[in-house]
């Protein structure tokens, strides 16, 4: 594999980094106020975010992952690695560039599988940043979670329509979403992975109940995590994304790259955490010298640097394999586990280095610490990815 990042991509990543530092990071304070439920500031933030999005479009850094015909930069998955990391330096950065989860993964899926009408109705406005979306797969117990084969939501054909009933939760972005991608079982007579289908439906459809936004730890830049019930939701046959029964196959196409893009964005946050820790350590003194002159502090900085470097290389390798046409199942799992756990460790060390300041809300570290915890669970818990990796180890050994 070729590890070189082309010069033009390095330039884009540098530019995005400057853009995030100068245009987006200043908005983080407004975001905090919004989280404290100050409505006026919420509106101010929304307006400012729209302005920043317009600036990103004018600067030619809108939607790095999308093809030019959808208004994007047309970068390949390898090329977006450093660009998404730069965007990920702020939790608001990916939103500013329209490469945030879950929209980014949903756009990828729609780009691959949507028909012409679905492209116009859903993908184009999503790509333009005019609307948002949600991916409704996970269900409360006893439904689909780590094991998607436990899917309980059903869709039953009735003439030209389908009638959907079920209960989902953790549909990220539900508060802002205009439409949902809904995974439902359409054929109970075959194994779930062959009998599930994805439907597209406006979130305001009769039959969709947004029960609540699940209260979670950590910051929320995405629009909450919705608990949703479907009560005889009627959608036309044309609401199917791809083909009936292919829901799981489509999901596979979404999940592998979406896992990596999560890794890229989170690497940006971890890198910034390391920078914050380094700044504090070089300025703060204790016992007659700066913290950065104490060896135990140096080791923490070094360990974070080592792990971040390895994390980036694992993401690059998996991205490169996807580009070669491989499903890269083991490699994306390896990257997901390592990056999710690295990000948690790097932020944890940064807090330790910054002492009480690290715990305070004056720095973003404590917020990232809370948010990063979920990354070891969503898009596959670390244990599930280790199961996938172990299977490949055992298979390589010659046992099926
Ligand atoms: C912040 C956040 C955002 C999310 N966004 C979305 C979204 O937009 N759309 C969506 O559909 N879902 C979303 N999810 C749901 C997420 O994908 C699930 O939480 C995840 O798949 C785990 O499912 P579960 O919560 O049901 O855990 P469970 O399946 O109940 O598993 C609980 C724990 O059991 C362990 N475990 C499970 N399987 C194994 C195994 N084989 N071996 C060993 N241990 C195992 C793991 O430690 C796991 O964490 C989100 C979750 C979070 C926290």
């Amino acid at each position: 594999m070729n590890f070189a990042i082309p010069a033009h991509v390095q330039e884009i990543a540098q530019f995005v980094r400057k853009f995030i530092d100068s245009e987006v990071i200043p908005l983080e304070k407004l975001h905090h106020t919004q989280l404290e439920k100050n409505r006026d500031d919420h509106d101010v933030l929304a307006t400012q975010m729209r302005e920043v999005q317009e600036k990103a479009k004018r600067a030619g850094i809108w939607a790095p992952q999308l093809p030019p015909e959808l208004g994007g930069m047309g970068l390949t998955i390898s090329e977006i690695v450093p660009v998404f990391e730069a965007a990920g330096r702020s939790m608001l950065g990916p939103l500013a560039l329209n490469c945030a989860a879950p929209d980014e993964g949903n756009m990828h899926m729609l780009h691959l599988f949507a028909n012409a009408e679905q492209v116009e109705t859903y993908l184009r406005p999503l790509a333009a940043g005019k609307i948002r979306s949600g991916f409704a797969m996970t269900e409360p117990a006893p439904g689909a979670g780590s094991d998607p084969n436990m899917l309980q939501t059903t869709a039953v054909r009735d003439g030209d329509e389908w009638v959907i009933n079920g209960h989902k939760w953790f549909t990220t972005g539900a508060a802002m979403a205009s439409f949902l991608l809904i995974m439902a079982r359409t054929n109970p007579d075959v194994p779930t992975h062959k009998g599930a289908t994805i439907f597209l439906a406006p979130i305001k459809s009769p039959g969709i109940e947004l029960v609540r936004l699940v209260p979670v730890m950590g910051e929320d830049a995405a629009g909450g995590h919705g608990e949703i019930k479907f009560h005889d939701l009627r959608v036309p046959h044309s609401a199917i994304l791809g083909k009936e029964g292919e829901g799981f196959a489509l999901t596979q196409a979404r999940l592998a790259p979406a896992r990596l893009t999560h890794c890229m964005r989170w690497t940006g946050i971890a890198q910034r955490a390391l920078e914050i820790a380094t700044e504090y350590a070089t300025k703060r003194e204790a016992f007659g010298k700066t913290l950065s002159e104490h060896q135990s502090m140096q080791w923490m900085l070094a360990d974070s640097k080592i792990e971040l470097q390895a994390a980036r290389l694992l993401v690059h390798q998996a991205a490169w394999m996807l580009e070669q046409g491989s499903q890269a199942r083991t490699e994306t799992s390896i990257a997901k586990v390592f990056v999710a756990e690295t990000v948690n460790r790097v932020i944890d060390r940064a807090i330790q280095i910054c002492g009480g300041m690290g715990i305070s809300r004056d720095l973003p570290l404590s917020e990232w610490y809370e948010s990063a915890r979920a990354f070891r669970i969503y898009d596959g818990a670390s244990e599930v990815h280790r199961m996938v990796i172990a299977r490949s180890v055992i298979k390589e050994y010659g046992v099926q």
Side-chain angles (χ1 to χ4, degrees):
M1 68 176 285
N2 182 0
F3 286 85
I5 299 172
H8 76 282
V9 177
Q10 287 185 42
E11 271 173 37
I12 295 169
Q14 281 295 334
F15 185 87
V16 169
R17 184 185 162 123
K18 280 190 194 137
F19 184 88
I20 298 297
D21 287 359
S22 62
E23 303 287 345
V24 179
I25 289 178
L27 293 187
E28 288 177 350
K29 279 211 166 24
L30 274 176
H31 183 57
H32 291 155
T33 327
Q34 175 201 322
L35 288 178
E36 285 156 19
K37 307 272 183 287
N38 183 324
R39 185 81 205 143
D40 293 342
D41 277 327
H42 176 91
D43 292 342
V44 174
L45 175 67
T47 309
Q48 295 214 1
M49 180 51 81
R50 272 194 296 277
E51 282 170 13
V52 171
Q53 288 178 332
E54 287 309 315
K55 277 188 196 166
K57 281 182 188 170
R58 285 197 297 275
I61 52 171
W62 182 252
Q65 77 285 4
L66 285 180
E69 64 267 24
L70 286 168
M73 297 174 75
L75 299 183
T76 67
I77 188 153
S78 289
E79 290 172 340
I80 63 172
V81 177
V83 179
F84 271 39
E85 175 179 336
R89 288 175 62 73
S90 167
M91 298 292 260
L92 300 175
L95 213 54
L97 269 57
N98 200 12
C99 60
D103 292 337
E104 176 263 318
N106 291 341
M107 284 189 271
H108 178 71
M109 203 167 180
L110 289 168
H111 181 51
L112 290 177
F113 303 110
N115 61 32
E117 193 189 328
Q118 292 165 343
V119 167
E120 294 308 317
T121 310
Y122 297 112
L123 180 54
R124 278 199 194 284
L126 195 56
K130 290 184 180 148
I131 60 170
R132 305 275 303 277
S133 62
F135 186 75
M137 166 81 185
T138 304
E139 301 166 338
S146 296
D147 182 357
N149 286 305
M150 292 162 75
L151 187 69
Q152 306 275 306
T153 299
T154 57
V156 177
R157 183 112 193 218
D158 181 19
D160 273 350
E161 292 185 326
W162 289 85
V163 183
I164 302 176
N165 280 287
H167 188 181
K168 302 281 184 183
W169 77 335
F170 278 99
T171 302
T172 299
M176 311 269 218
S178 294
F179 73 97
L180 297 177
L181 292 90
I182 304 163
M183 178 71 85
R185 221 182 150 131
T186 40
N187 186 349
D189 300 327
V190 296
T192 316
H193 67 275
K194 290 185 180 155
T197 303
I198 295 177
F199 295 88
L200 296 164
I203 200 162
K204 297 282 182 213
S205 307
I208 298 186
E209 180 195 359
L210 178 55
V211 180
R212 61 172 180 151
L213 297 178
V214 182
V216 296
M217 67 175 178
E219 110 166 87
D220 169 34
H225 306 285
E227 177 176 350
I228 295 174
K229 285 187 178 167
F230 304 114
H231 311 278
D232 289 334
L233 164 66
R234 284 190 169 266
V235 295
H237 187 68
S238 60
I240 289 178
L241 180 64
K243 292 200 182 110
E244 184 186 334
E246 287 189 352
F248 274 47
L250 267 59
T251 310
Q252 283 313 314
R254 179 190 190 276
L255 282 184
R259 255 168 216 148
L260 286 188
T261 52
H262 267 310
C263 292
M264 298 169 201
R265 287 182 290 254
W266 270 114
T267 308
I269 287 288
Q271 173 61 33
R272 200 168 140 215
L274 177 58
E275 289 165 19
I276 290 170
T278 310
E279 187 183 347
Y280 188 85
T282 50
K283 292 194 175 136
R284 176 73 164 153
E285 292 193 4
F287 301 96
K289 50 187 177 181
T290 61
L291 295 177
S292 59
E293 290 170 293
H294 290 273
Q295 194 182 43
S296 60
M297 292 281 114
Q298 292 174 354
W299 284 23
M300 281 200 254
L301 295 174
D303 284 346
S304 291
K305 174 81 180 168
I306 291 166
E307 290 177 24
L308 272 172
Q309 192 81 350
R312 286 187 186 100
L313 290 174
L314 287 174
V315 173
H316 265 296
Q317 186 198 13
W320 178 81
M321 288 189 69
L322 285 175
E323 243 165 41
Q324 310 309 305
S326 161
Q327 283 196 328
R329 289 194 69 174
T330 308
E331 289 74 16
T332 49
S333 284
I334 291 173
K336 166 64 173 58
V337 171
F338 190 78
V339 177
E341 296 182 1
T342 291
V343 167
N344 275 266
R345 282 191 297 267
V346 170
I347 298 171
D348 182 75
R349 284 188 203 110
I351 289 176
Q352 194 68 19
I353 290 169
C354 294
M357 184 73 166
I359 298 292
S360 80
R361 296 293 195 200
D362 289 354
L363 287 178
L365 296 172
S366 58
E367 204 172 85
W368 295 341
Y369 183 78
E370 291 172 356
S371 302
R373 186 62 185 82
F375 189 31
R376 285 164 52 195
I377 293 173
Y378 61 67
D379 272 352
S382 289
E383 293 76 16
V384 175
H385 286 294
R386 282 192 166 88
M387 178 181 77
V388 171
I389 298 162
R391 278 183 188 153
S392 81
V393 174
I394 295 162
K395 198 170 163 191
E396 274 167 28
Y397 180 71
V399 179
Q400 294 297 319

